[in-house]
Amino acid sequence: MTHQFRGILALLLVTLVWGTTFPAMKALTAHFSPIWIVFIRFLLASVLMLPFLWRARYKDVRIGALVGAVLFICYVFQVEGLALTSSNRNAFITGLNVLVVPLLGYFAGKKPERRIVVALLLALAGLFTLCSEGDAAWSRGDTLALLAAFAFGLYVKMMEGAAREVGQLMTLTAMQIVTVALCSALWLLAREIPRTQIEVSADMLNYWGNIGAGVRAHVLQFLYLGVICTAAIISLQTWGQSHSTANEAAVIYAFEPGAAAFFAYFWLGEVMTPLAWMGAALLISGMIVSQWNAERPAAALVPE
């Protein structure tokens, strides 16, 4: 078995694991607010990533914190959207982030290549088809997922520049994960945790009791998201990308929403109609076309 074939298998496993994060987080939205899900997931991952910050350069930490703040916004939109729409639709719409980077280049005055125009047309047709049925009309959750796609696209664009400036890529990635956990904690303190005297006396015990009971009941899901999907999978992705081509990685990653839909069926019982699958196929086609023969940034290491 060649190193290249092993790299492809590694990226296939990465894509399958990332596909499970959508139904896993969707299931948790029934018991936790989106910010609590993001906080616990990235807190667990941060504990495992802290060694990469040992003796890290200040410049790498500073850049990682800046990009991590944008990544936090990405996850806020994504998980808030998950709470209001199906996990498979969220995955397909969020996957459109690969088209945002060339769009940003267009607004900056760079003429898009022909393949980008074709990809956009395929993606728009797919999005219209996916959300054209009566019961599956466009919702607020879909809007949040689309905002997440734009935010992730901005994040990837920022990472392109950040990867060229830092000395250690894993330090950059680790600082992003830690920053997401810290931003989530600050959000919880400012917006969700009871703070006033009235709130403390009436609600604090019940609040923490409910959170504690929920964490104990879903500890395996949080460990899976934080340890496997966020921390452990980064090393496998890094190795896989180093032993495969950019085109191979682009095609494999494009099927992440399909993996999410597959696992959503078995995990949550979510079913897509034939028309929705047609739209999904068009979306995936647009993602592949947009990335074909493109130099995929080696810095795209943070999982979905």
Side-chain angles (χ1 to χ4, degrees):
M1 187 183 296
T2 64
H3 281 299
Q4 184 177 9
F5 186 63
R6 289 175 182 172
I8 292 173
L9 290 179
L11 294 184
L12 283 171
L13 180 58
V14 167
T15 301
L16 288 174
V17 171
W18 282 356
T20 65
T21 63
F22 290 89
M25 290 193 295
K26 172 66 175 179
L28 289 171
T29 59
H31 308 279
F32 295 91
S33 71
I35 301 300
W36 267 110
I37 297 171
V38 174
F39 171 66
I40 298 174
R41 174 183 176 179
F42 280 86
L43 177 64
L44 292 171
S46 295
V47 173
L48 297 178
M49 299 300 290
L50 280 176
F52 291 104
L53 296 179
W54 180 251
R55 295 183 177 178
R57 296 194 311 170
Y58 171 75
K59 181 180 180 180
D60 292 0
V61 171
R62 177 176 55 81
I63 295 175
L66 178 62
V67 181
V70 176
L71 185 62
F72 168 72
I73 296 172
C74 296
Y75 277 100
V76 170
F77 284 137
Q78 184 187 51
V79 186
E80 289 278 2
L82 264 173
L84 300 172
T85 190
S86 64
S87 63
N88 49 48
R89 280 172 62 134
N90 184 280
F92 282 112
I93 296 173
T94 303
L96 291 173
N97 69 80
V98 298
L99 296 172
V100 174
V101 175
L103 275 178
L104 292 174
Y106 171 75
F107 289 124
K110 182 179 179 180
K111 186 178 180 180
E113 302 175 39
R114 183 177 300 176
R115 64 180 173 83
I116 298 300
V117 176
V118 173
L120 284 170
L121 292 175
L122 286 170
L124 288 173
L127 198 60
F128 177 80
T129 306
L130 182 68
C131 303
S132 62
E133 296 177 289
D135 293 337
W138 190 267
S139 68
R140 181 170 177 266
D142 297 329
T143 300
L144 290 169
L146 189 60
L147 289 173
F150 277 95
F152 273 115
L154 176 61
Y155 159 78
V156 170
K157 190 66 177 176
M158 291 180 65
M159 281 291 285
E160 288 182 10
R164 291 191 289 266
E165 295 184 35
V166 299
Q168 294 294 327
L169 193 57
M170 287 304 294
T171 298
L172 172 65
T173 303
M175 191 59 207
Q176 291 177 68
I177 291 175
V178 171
T179 300
V180 173
L182 290 174
C183 288
S184 303
L186 292 174
W187 183 288
L188 289 170
L189 287 172
R191 300 292 302 274
E192 293 197 23
I193 295 176
R195 299 179 309 282
T196 67
Q197 189 62 40
I198 295 177
E199 288 178 320
V200 169
S201 61
D203 300 328
M204 182 65 83
L205 291 179
N206 288 337
Y207 180 85
W208 287 111
N210 290 333
I211 293 296
V215 171
R216 288 191 295 271
H218 300 89
V219 63
L220 292 180
Q221 282 176 267
F222 278 120
L223 286 173
Y224 176 70
L225 285 169
V227 176
I228 303 298
C229 299
T230 309
I233 209 69
I234 289 176
S235 299
L236 183 61
Q237 185 200 11
T238 306
W239 185 87
Q241 284 189 182
S242 67
H243 291 84
S244 59
T245 67
N247 285 336
E248 289 166 345
V251 172
I252 292 169
Y253 288 149
F255 284 95
E256 180 192 344
F262 175 81
F263 288 112
Y265 173 76
F266 290 100
W267 198 317
L268 303 174
E270 294 182 357
V271 179
M272 292 176 63
T273 65
L275 189 60
W277 276 114
M278 184 185 301
L282 289 169
L283 284 171
I284 290 176
S285 300
M287 295 173 201
I288 294 175
V289 170
S290 73
Q291 296 296 290
W292 194 254
N293 287 329
E295 184 178 347
R296 187 175 186 85
L301 296 178
V302 179
E304 297 286 354

